[in-house]
Amino acid sequence: MRGRRARRKAAASRLPTQHELLTEPGASLREAMLDQTVTFATLFGIATGMFSCALSLAFTQILNQDRLFWFMIASIFVGSVCLGTVAARRFLSAMDRLGTGLHGEQAVAFVLKDLERLGYSVFHDVPSLRRPAPANIDHVDIGPSGVFAIETKTIRKRGNNYTIELKDQQLCINGHPLQSDAIAQARAVADDLAHILDRFAGQQCQVQPAVAIPGWFVRADKIPWQQSVWVVSHNALVSLITSPHRSTLPNGLDKKLAGALRAHIRSVDASTS
């Protein structure tokens, strides 16, 4: 009886909000950080086991005069130390890179909250149809002024120069080109988003690609309206997206496209669960 009453009580209750959580900003980066943690723990565990094994053998066979035995013990010692060192270096490097990317995506997501207040539909970490890369679309905004696919490029600051130059679709700092494919990635995810919306909404639409660089001032040789791919600071996104320079979508089309994108995200979640 108590079980039945508890089930009826649970069925009569509901969650405090009706907001449907899809994917959070940086969700794929968090998964990658978890994978790196598991890999590091595994390798470091193996290294610790090897070291402990060699240490215990050395103590139990301390009077052993066999050179081959001590060579084996020394090899295990050296191998365990090297394995642990390499695993730690790779782990710290990967966590720094992924943590920097996560910080940038969260910064962009925080700014894009303003669009939600204006009636835009904002999505984060949208699964891509392309494999293996790009595996996700960092941010998608759909509203009266159009559809936008935003690729986040997070760059650490060194020194007092906070300006990135964009010339001929090449990012530069202090005149030195950056080894970055962010602009090409933005084009790719915009094409992929257009394909997703065509597939789930039966509607062909133009998607504006953009690269957001959190915390930097971007000096470009062309104004954003003349760029095939917008490259801007994250703080400039909302004003650009809502600018009167943008043409508007037909009434109600933005809601249809947003619903189609939700259907795509649910279908991917269902296939991976």
Side-chain angles (χ1 to χ4, degrees):
M1 290 295 294
R2 290 181 180 178
R4 291 181 181 178
R5 283 198 296 268
R7 286 194 294 271
R8 284 197 296 266
K9 186 177 180 180
S13 65
R14 64 182 185 275
L15 294 174
T17 67
Q18 299 301 313
H19 179 66
E20 180 185 8
L21 295 177
L22 294 175
T23 50
E24 298 179 352
S28 60
L29 291 177
R30 287 191 181 92
E31 291 180 3
M33 293 174 76
L34 179 59
D35 290 342
Q36 289 291 334
T37 302
V38 172
T39 301
F40 169 71
T42 302
L43 292 177
F44 198 79
I46 294 173
T48 303
M50 292 171 59
F51 188 87
S52 301
C53 179
L55 195 62
S56 62
L57 285 174
F59 273 113
T60 57
Q61 302 290 331
I62 195 168
L63 299 179
N64 194 323
Q65 300 296 320
D66 188 354
R67 292 183 179 180
L68 181 60
F69 171 79
W70 289 108
F71 177 78
M72 180 185 69
I73 294 296
S75 299
I76 296 176
F77 268 122
V78 173
S80 63
V81 171
C82 291
L83 178 61
T85 302
V86 171
R89 286 175 61 88
R90 289 186 177 181
F91 174 73
L92 293 175
S93 176
M95 293 299 285
D96 179 70
R97 173 177 53 82
L98 294 170
T100 299
L102 178 61
H103 174 81
E105 290 194 22
Q106 290 176 333
V108 174
F110 181 80
V111 169
L112 295 178
K113 286 183 178 180
D114 290 340
L115 289 175
E116 293 181 327
R117 302 186 185 99
L118 298 175
Y120 283 71
S121 297
V122 180
F123 303 87
H124 307 288
D125 218 64
V126 176
S128 171
L129 295 177
R130 297 172 183 264
R131 291 295 183 270
N136 71 297
I137 307 172
D138 291 343
H139 313 278
V140 174
D141 302 317
I142 301 176
S145 60
V147 182
F148 306 86
I150 302 171
E151 177 75 13
T152 301
K153 177 64 178 177
T154 311
I155 303 173
R156 284 187 171 274
K157 293 179 177 178
R158 293 177 175 83
N160 298 320
N161 180 23
Y162 302 152
T163 301
I164 288 180
E165 297 178 342
L166 174 66
K167 187 174 182 181
D168 297 329
Q169 297 293 289
Q170 175 65 58
L171 299 175
C172 302
I173 298 180
N174 293 329
H176 301 291
L178 292 177
Q179 299 298 322
S180 170
D181 57 352
I183 294 177
Q185 286 180 348
R187 286 196 182 97
V189 296
D191 291 341
D192 193 43
L193 179 58
H195 179 65
I196 291 171
L197 295 176
D198 184 26
R199 176 178 174 182
F200 283 85
Q203 182 75 44
Q204 293 185 350
C205 62
Q206 182 178 2
V207 178
Q208 173 62 54
V211 176
I213 307 180
W216 289 78
F217 174 75
V218 180
R219 181 183 296 145
D221 54 351
K222 297 179 181 178
I223 60 176
W225 320 117
Q226 297 175 340
Q227 300 173 15
S228 59
V229 178
W230 293 351
V231 182
V232 295
S233 172
H234 72 305
N235 289 319
L237 283 171
V238 174
S239 60
L240 281 174
I241 291 173
T242 59
S243 171
H245 289 84
R246 296 289 306 173
S247 58
T248 58
L249 293 176
N251 187 30
L253 181 57
D254 57 330
K255 302 302 181 185
K256 177 182 178 181
L257 296 176
L261 190 57
R262 290 189 185 94
H264 161 68
I265 295 172
R266 292 192 198 100
S267 68
V268 173
D269 290 342
S271 63
T272 56
S273 61

